[in-house]
């Protein structure tokens, strides 16, 4: 049970990435009786979605609709989940795929940890909580966040002072300071890459001076500020705890910009910015909310209506790309922008808090992970126009933002598609008797 | 709870040594953290205050004070009480004599 | 009156050196990043839009191109690499050509062969004049050991020619400035400019002509003034104006056969002016060659020609001086002829028709901006039929 | 409310109930005195033992429950812990591990509903926890073992619609080894894609794409393709649909002599609806449509450009030197500005693909005829997809001129006054709202997508339809291909506007869900369905009027006291267990399995008769200042 390595028998599908796309693909395959190994780099599944406050355009509480999926995958008898495990590379040869993985030490034996958090309460060290995008505090040993799955403590070796308080506090003696990184290989019938996306640096555009002000924040930081269990319990600006009276959203702050090296559209920013503005108008009823945009891309089902509602709610939409942001007195920020629809004047506008819509960028390096070149945008190449989830490697499929920026619903559609392609691929290779989807691999049994 | 066994001690020692080889030493940061946290806690002893007020009282930058308050709220040693203009006020949940003892947080 | 879209203007501006301006998707970054874009005079997007939609008349009535000093931030930050700075540069060439009523400017700008031909023709004319009318090329030196240049090219004769050429050029340039003024002031329908406004603005005109301080707006909060583009440009400007004054007004004092001592004003004024020119022009040439700064990334043939002519004029002028004081008569005479063969085309081509003209148009534009603003303010104070600002 | 005492006890003769109270590592025990709850619970009749654990959900906690069932002969279990959403399944499994029927279990939520909700009132919270546990214990005395409902599953799918979505879904399912029937009302497969020439973003031709999908279908003997066929009737439920298909009306007329086959029955387990979209048909005069022959919708232009030959593009014998594209025709409409659709509503949604389509076509036209001036009138350029922004960039670079209008002040198309047949007049917001006029030889309307009008099919399948008239999914974020009707799935543009790659993804996703539904020979359903006691049913029929799920209640002929009678019977495949019928039955003949009326009454009794707290010896420390 404390052996995190999978049993030697091969699995049908390795799904890389435990975000919404990976969870959906894993569930679609496991429900067809395939044995699935789901690998997640972070210490909990849930991906970006679990950290969001609400989702557009329905304004569902994000964790409320993510946790059931997480839980379904976590408890599924045919899905085995390995967290804190990174993909090193996929090797395809002679009709089989060998997935090389690296499991990072968490210094906790997940078989023994019962998630009681007594170690966390005993720990004397706190550091900026990555789940709260640095805004909150996290102890050096902690369950990553309240609805993390698995609910197991993880020790952060960079911040731990090795005082032993957690060892003394642990009722099940689960803490293992001698845990080491492990590398292992899994044989898989097929692989689905659902590795998601990253965000380019807030400081990418020097004219925005993001490094000079704590009040220039990322959209993910605002998600956390808006979340019911967020770092401050309410929306405050990070520099001094003030309730912001005027918040600006700067769209295309890291995409659609050749000078920043990201020519493509990040696709999700318009909608999440509108959503965040809407949520802010609920949280801060008297605040001025302004969205500076080039084009509002509310293209999905229900999105345009959502945008029109936001306008009707009094959120200001200003056509014009913000050219520079300068920190001014009282931790405020001054935005210089051409008000294109107000005679084309140039104005300096002051705001308490500025949210930069960062560009969505790839996290997976196809050359390293698969040995194939990336597409010109850096994401995985899509060589087949009919089977859009195929990659350049046979039997390796991809879904969601690994194939370019994508919102949740489009990721879910692609995850389903990747699961279907993988199922077809396995069926074509399986003996006729099991063509209808009966797995030849043994069901995995351990959740790690 | 359990005491440290020899095996635990050996593992801790190896852990420290290995990290030293890699060149990481969080001791300094931890000491600074404790010092700052104490400053915020003692500033709070004078009664509920806003972040800028606590920053003045503790000599720490306002953003650090806010960060410490976030941690203290999470682990149950501070709470928001009232609002003073644009700034919420925070109070300690510890009795003046009480040493800072972490209370279980709620998920 | 609705504007009827004309898709051809953009091609015209491309002929004047605009590059990727079609790529512009009107995000407004260039205008908002521009440190000189303020007080209701905003660019470059306004000019870009005029060009994209073919608002030719609006473009002619614009003074914005002259207020742009190509700081380069617009091009650096443009999300589409549309080179708005280069469009403003092209717009200046376009306007220079448009202001020129002879139509020569347009031909010179649009066809480098015409420009080179004109230069070579004028140079040949100068050489021919010397061959036909030049004084004796005496090898006898002055008592100080200098060349008797005034025997070969007597200063009073050259001076007369100076004045003749200068007069023609002045008439051409001033008439172009008048056309510029008519468009800019007349472009705003219903705007009546009181004479007082013209008078009050004169100091602005002079200040900006002599200091060119507008350019300093490119680098707000600058650290060292000598590192600014303004400084380099000012070196050229100051050297040029000094030399111009010396040659037109004080040629007899400046072009002497006597070899003055080094502390003599004739020498150090000349050294400073030519030094400034040499530094500034060489710097500009090297910059255009290296293409590091945004402003130097793309050079139109007219940019090169002007700088090369100016550099050659400066260098040959310096050489004439060196040869003269060192008693090298033939070298002096030949270099002197070459000097004038470069100088004359430079002045004749560049002053009224090409790059040089910006020396006049830039301060005039600032002046007219002030005049127009004062006129608007006066009209607003006495509410007559309201004009609509463009 | 004392009727329950008169009710026969349906529980076992001697209930032995185990009560397990979780501390949740302090989450509960900081407020609720868990030891007191456990001690007091032991006093409730039927409780054989009660225990406290720090983390009941942990492996040791679960093992304890399973062992107690075996060793202490428990026959019912209560766990008082967190929300059932989190761990009801966990403990049902633990109970099953101990050898009990998993439905002999009751979950009590004393975290979200007690310790978190009443953290300022520990004593009250403890009393509430006891009452909730008592209610659960009382209810458990009345529960019966239940079994999952298993229904046979016909492992065959029906795909309705032979466009690329239907073809892809059918091909995927067949490729997975499942039987598929694909019905298409027209004579050919490929649908709307057949009308296209080259496709963005890969710039491949439409014909090979359709051919590849068709080859995929041909390669699988498990696919039956029925063209010129429509669905005539549908009955049944997930796993057991009976579908009658027959010749399409037009086809029936045309091929009258051919196959007179009037209908053919298919039994399928699941149905994928891939009926596609229609192009928006502009109203007469909308952007000059039908008033000026030089105003044409996008599909017509695509054909025109694909067939163009020679040096210039010609329209009605006139060279097209100035070409315009109007965005958002039939999309992003505003009430009061745009003409309403027959249902009185305007198309307020974005059709998603028209921006890139317009730029794709504009660029193609510009490349083919470089001297043509091309104009684009938009509100926002929505080139969101992978590679789409490239079209925008290249279109700009190629010199296509862009103008931006506001939806509430759309451009006007009028006769040309500058030597062209028409001109577009608009306030251009890229030029500060100035009025500009663009003279044109041809204006292409980038018409949006509208839902296909297939009311007949929608009512046959009882599909929900959204406000935008597209077929509605269960959840627009998380379940985009499933419908509220179990076993019926949506693929492609029947659900919402989509580009081709998105349509293919949606089709495969629907196929994946279908493959899940068809994975086993049986369909498993939760047992919480209505059940009619035939002894009590008097055949009054009141329940039928209340049932919102067509077919969930069926009439059954029978005998009552010798006389024939029509009784209600529940079809568990269609019943969702809502309880509407239970509430109206005058004879209490209907009950919801697992949630019977006497169980509820017992719970009320339990709440009211709960014993007073019996203080446990050790008390829990109570901390305040914790946040929510």
């Amino acid at each position: 049970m404390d052996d995190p390595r999978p049993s030697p028998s091969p699995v049908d599908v390795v799904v890389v990435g435990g975000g919404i796309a990976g969870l959906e693909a894993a569930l679609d395959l496991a429900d067809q009786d395939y044995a699935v190994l789901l690998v997640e780099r972070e210490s909990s599944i849930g991906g970006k979605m679990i950290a969001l406050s609400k989702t557009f355009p329905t304004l569902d509480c994000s964790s409320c609709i993510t946790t059931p999926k997480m839980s379904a995958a976590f408890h599924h008898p045919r899905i085995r989940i390995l967290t804190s495990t990174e993909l090193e590379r996929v090797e395809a040869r002679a009709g089989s795929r060998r997935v090389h993985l690296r499991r990072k030490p968490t210094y906790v034996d997940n078989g023994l940890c019962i998630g009681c958090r007594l170690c966390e309460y005993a720990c004397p060290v706190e550091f900026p909580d990555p789940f709260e995008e640095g805004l909150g505090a996290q102890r050096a040993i902690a369950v990553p966040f309240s609805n993390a799955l698995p609910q197991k403590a993880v020790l952060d070796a960079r911040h731990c002072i090795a005082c032993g308080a957690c060892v003394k506090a642990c009722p099940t003696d689960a803490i293992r300071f001698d845990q080491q990184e492990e590398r292992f290989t899994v044989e898989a019938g097929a692989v689905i890459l659902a590795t998601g996306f990253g965000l380019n640096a807030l400081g990418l555009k020097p004219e925005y001076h993001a490094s000079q002000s704590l009040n220039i924040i990322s959209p993910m930081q605002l998600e956390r500020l808006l979340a019911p269990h967020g770092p401050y319990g309410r929306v405050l600006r990070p520099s001094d705890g003030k309730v912001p009276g005027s918040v600006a959203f700067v769209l295309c702050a890291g995409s659609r910009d050749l000078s920043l090296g990201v020519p493509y559209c990040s696709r999700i920013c318009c909608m999440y910015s509108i959503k965040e503005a809407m949520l802010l108008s609920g949280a801060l009823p008297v605040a001025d909310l302004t969205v500076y945009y080039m084009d509002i891309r509310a293209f999905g089902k229900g999105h345009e209506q959502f945008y029109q509602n936001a306008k009707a709610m009094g959120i200001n939409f200003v056509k014009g790309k913000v050219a520079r942001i300068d920190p001014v007195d009282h931790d405020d920020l001054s935005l210089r922008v051409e008000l294109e629809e107000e005679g084309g004047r140039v104005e300096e506008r002051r705001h308490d808090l500025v949210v930069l819509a960062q560009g969505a960028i790839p996290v997976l390096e196809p050359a390293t992970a698969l040995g194939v070149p990336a597409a010109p945008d850096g994401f995985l190449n899509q060589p087949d126009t009919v089977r859009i989830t195929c990659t350049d490697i046979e039997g390796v499929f991809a879904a969601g933002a690994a194939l370019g920026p994508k919102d949740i619903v489009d990721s879910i559609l692609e995850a389903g598609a990747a699961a279907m392609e993988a199922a077809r691929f396995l069926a074509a290779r399986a003996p006729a008797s099991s063509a209808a989807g009966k797995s030849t691999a043994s069901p995995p049994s351990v959740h790690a | 709870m359990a005491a440290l066994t020899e095996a635990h001690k050996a593992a801790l020692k190896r852990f420290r040594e290995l990290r030293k080889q890699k060149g990481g030493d969080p001791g300094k940061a931890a000491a600074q953290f404790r010092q700052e946290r104490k400053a915020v806690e003692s500033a709070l002893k004078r009664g509920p205050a806003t972040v800028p007020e606590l920053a003045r009282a503790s000599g720490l930058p306002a953003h650090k004070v806010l960060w410490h308050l976030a941690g203290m709220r999470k682990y149950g040693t501070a709470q928001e009480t009232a609002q003073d203009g644009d700034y919420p006020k925070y109070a300690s949940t510890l009795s003046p004599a009480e040493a800072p003892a972490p209370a279980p947080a709620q998920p | 009156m609705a504007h009827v879209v004309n898709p051809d203007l953009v091609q015209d501006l491309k002929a004047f050196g605009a590059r990727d301006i079609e790529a512009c998707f009107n995000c407004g970054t260039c205008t908002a990043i521009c440190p000189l874009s303020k007080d209701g005079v905003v660019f470059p997007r306004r000019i870009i839009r005029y060009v994209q939609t073919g608002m030719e008349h609006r473009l002619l009535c614009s003074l914005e191109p002259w207020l742009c000093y190509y700081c380069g931030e617009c091009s650096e930050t443009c999300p589409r690499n549309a080179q708005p700075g280069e469009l403003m540069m092209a717009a200046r060439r376009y306007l220079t050509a448009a202001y020129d009523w002879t139509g020569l400017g347009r031909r010179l700008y649009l066809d480098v062969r015409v420009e080179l031909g004109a230069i070579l023709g004028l140079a040949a004319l100068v050489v021919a004049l010397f061959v036909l009318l030049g004084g004796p090329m005496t090898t006898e030196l002055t008592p100080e050991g200098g060349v008797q240049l005034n025997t070969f090219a007597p200063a009073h004769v050259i001076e007369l020619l100076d004045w003749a050429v200068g007069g023609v050029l002045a008439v051409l340039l001033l008439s172009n400035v008048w056309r510029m003024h008519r468009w800019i002031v007349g472009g705003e329908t219903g705007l009546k400019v009181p004479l007082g406004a013209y008078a009050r603005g004169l100091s602005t005109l002079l200040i900006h002509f002599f200091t060119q301080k507008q350019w300093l707006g490119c680098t707000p909060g600058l650290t060292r003034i000598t590192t600014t583009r303004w400084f380099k440009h000012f070196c050229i400007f100051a050297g040029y104006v000094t030399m111009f004054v010396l040659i037109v007004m004080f040629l007899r004092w400046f072009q002497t056969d006597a070899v003055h001592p080094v502390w003599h004003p004739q020498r150090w004024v000349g050294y400073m002016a030519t030094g400034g020119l040499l530094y500034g022009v060489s710097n500009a040439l090297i910059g255009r060659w290296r293409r590091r700064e945004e402003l130097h990334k793309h050079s139109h043939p007219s940019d090169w020609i002007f700088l090369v002519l100016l550099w050659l004029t400066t260098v040959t002028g310096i050489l004439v001086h060196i040869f003269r004081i060192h008693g090298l008569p033939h070298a002096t005479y030949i270099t002197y002829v070459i000097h004038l063969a470069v100088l004359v085309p430079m002045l004749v081509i560049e002053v009224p028709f090409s790059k040089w003209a910006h020396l006049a148009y830039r301060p005039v534009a600032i002046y007219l901006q002030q005049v127009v603003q004062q006129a608007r303010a006066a009209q607003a104070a006495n509410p007559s039929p309201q004009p609509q600002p463009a | 409310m004392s009727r329950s005492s008169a009710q026969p006890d349906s529980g076992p003769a001697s209930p032995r109930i185990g009560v397990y109270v979780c501390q949740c590592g302090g989450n509960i025990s900081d407020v609720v005195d868990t030891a007191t709850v456990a001690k007091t619970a032991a006093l409730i009749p039927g409780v054989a033992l009660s225990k406290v654990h720090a983390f009941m959900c942990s492996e040791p906690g679960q093992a304890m429950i399973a062992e107690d069932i075996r060793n202490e002969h428990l026959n019912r279990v209560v766990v008082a812990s967190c929300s059932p959403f989190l761990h009801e399944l966990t403990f049902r499994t633990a109970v099953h591990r101990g050898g009990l029927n998993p439905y002999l279990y009751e979950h009590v939520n004393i975290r979200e509903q007690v310790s978190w909700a009443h953290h300022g009132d520990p004593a009250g919270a403890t009393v509430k926890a006891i009452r909730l546990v008592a209610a659960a214990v009382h209810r458990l005395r009345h529960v019966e073992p239940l079994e999952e409902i298993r229904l046979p599953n016909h492992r065959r799918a029906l795909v309705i619609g032979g466009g690329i979505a239907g073809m892809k879904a059918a091909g995927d399912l067949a490729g997975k080894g499942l039987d598929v029937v694909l019905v298409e009302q027209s004579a050919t497969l490929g649908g709307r894609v057949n009308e296209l020439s080259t496709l963005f973003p890969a710039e491949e031709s439409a014909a090979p794409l359709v051919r590849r999908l068709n080859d995929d279908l041909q390669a699988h003997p498990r696919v039956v393709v029925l063209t010129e066929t429509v669905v005539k009737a549908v009955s049944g439920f997930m796993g057991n649909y009976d579908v009658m298909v027959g010749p399409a009306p037009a086809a029936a007329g045309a091929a009258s002599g051919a196959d007179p086959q009037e209908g053919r029955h298919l039994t399928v387990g699941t149905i994928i609806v891939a009926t596609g979209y229609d192009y928006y048909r502009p109203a007469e005069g909308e952007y000059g449509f039908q008033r000026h022959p030089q105003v044409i919708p996008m599909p017509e232009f695509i054909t025109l450009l694909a067939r163009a030959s020679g040096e210039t593009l010609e329209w009605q014998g006139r060279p097209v030197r100035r070409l315009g594209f109007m965005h958002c025709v039939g999309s992003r409409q505003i009430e009061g500005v745009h003409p309403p659709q027959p249902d009185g509503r305007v198309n307020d949604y974005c059709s998603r693909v028209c921006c890139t389509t317009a730029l794709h076509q504009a660029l193609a036209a510009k490349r083919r005829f470089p001297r043509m001036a091309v104009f684009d009138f938009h509100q926002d350029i929505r080139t969101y997809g992978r590679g789409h922004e490239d079209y925008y960039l290249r279109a700009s670079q190629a010199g296509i001129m862009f103008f931006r209008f506001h939806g509430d002040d759309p451009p006007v198309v009028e006769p040309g006054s500058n030597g062209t047949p028409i001109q577009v007049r608009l306030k251009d917001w890229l030029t500060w709202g100035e009025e500009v006029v663009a003279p044109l030889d041809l204006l292409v309307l980038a018409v949006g997508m509208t839902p296909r009008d297939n009311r007949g099919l929608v009512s046959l399948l009882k599909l929900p339809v959204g406000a935008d008239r597209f077929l509605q999914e269960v959840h627009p974020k998380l379940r985009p291909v499933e419908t509220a009707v179990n076993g019926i799935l949506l693929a492609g543009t029947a659900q919402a506007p989509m580009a081709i790659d998105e349509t293919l993804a949606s089709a495969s996703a629907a196929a994946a869900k279908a493959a899940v539904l068809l994975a086993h020979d049986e369909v498993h359903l939760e047992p919480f369905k209505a059940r009619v006691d035939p002894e009590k049913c008097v055949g009054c029929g009141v329940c039928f009027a209340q049932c919102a799920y067509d077919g969930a209640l069926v009439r059954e002929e029978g005998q009552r006291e010798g006389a024939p009678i029509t009784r209600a019977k529940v079809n568990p495949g269609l019943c969702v267990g809502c309880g509407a019928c239970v509430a109206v039955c005058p004879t209490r003949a209907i009950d919801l399995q697992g949630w019977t009326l006497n169980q509820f009454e017992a719970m009320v009794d339990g709440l009211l008769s709960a014993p007073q707290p019996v203080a446990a010896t050790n008390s829990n420390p109570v901390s305040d200042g914790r946040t929510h």
Side-chain angles (χ1 to χ4, degrees), chain D residues 215-421:
Chain D
D215 290 349
D216 198 22
L217 291 179
Q218 301 304 321
H220 292 289
R222 290 171 175 277
V223 187
V224 177
V225 177
L226 304 173
T227 52
E228 296 179 271
T229 303
V230 292
V231 172
K232 301 272 188 193
V234 180
S235 62
F237 46 90
M238 183 171 86
N240 291 277
Y241 280 108
D242 180 26
V243 183
M244 190 174 79
V245 296
S256 48
D259 194 354
Q261 172 190 43
E262 241 317 304
R264 172 173 166 186
H265 283 274
L266 302 167
T267 313
V268 295
T270 177
I271 299 172
I272 295 178
V273 180
T275 47
Y277 68 97
D278 276 321
Y279 287 109
Y280 173 78
R281 172 104 185 140
E284 198 197 325
E286 192 176 354
Y287 294 112
F289 184 66
Q290 288 174 326
R291 298 239 172 96
H292 304 286
Q294 295 82 9
V295 178
I296 60 171
M298 182 65 80
E300 213 170 316
F301 179 76
I302 291 174
T303 314
L304 175 73
L305 185 64
R307 291 181 186 159
S309 57
E311 289 300 295
T312 49
L313 182 67
E314 287 200 359
W315 173 246
Q316 298 188 336
R318 247 188 81 104
V320 178
R321 295 201 177 87
R322 288 164 159 256
L323 172 66
F325 287 87
M326 183 66 67
H327 287 238
C328 295
V329 179
S331 311
R332 298 182 69 182
Q333 291 183 326
I334 298 170
E335 236 169 274
V337 175
H338 297 94
Q341 296 301 298
D343 67 353
R345 283 198 285 250
V346 293
N347 291 351
D348 56 359
Y349 53 88
C350 167
S351 289
R352 189 167 171 134
V353 295
C354 356
C355 274
T356 312
T357 304
L359 294 179
H360 179 223
Q361 290 301 319
L363 196 57
K366 183 82 185 170
R367 292 218 165 127
R368 178 82 175 70
F369 306 104
R371 293 173 61 191
M372 186 155 67
V374 183
F375 304 83
D376 177 290
F377 310 96
H378 65 266
Q379 300 190 67
D380 294 283
I381 294 284
R382 293 185 166 172
T383 44
Y384 63 90
R386 200 174 186 191
H388 295 194
E389 185 76 7
D390 258 12
Y391 283 98
Y392 186 19
L393 175 63
R394 280 183 273 151
S396 305
Q397 285 169 335
I400 290 163
M401 291 170 39
F402 290 87
F403 301 87
R404 175 179 156 92
F405 63 89
H406 281 177
D408 53 8
D409 185 14
V412 175
V413 180
E414 52 191 28
S417 57
N418 294 277
T420 58

Side-chain angles (χ1 to χ4, degrees), chain B residues 63-77:
Chain B
H63 68 92
K64 285 236 167 169
V65 172
L66 181 62
W67 181 77
H68 278 281
L69 287 170
M72 291 167 73
R73 280 183 74 257
K74 178 174 175 182
Y75 292 105
T77 58

Side-chain angles (χ1 to χ4, degrees), chain D residues 109 172 270 398 539:
Chain D
N109 180 355
D172 279 351
T270 177

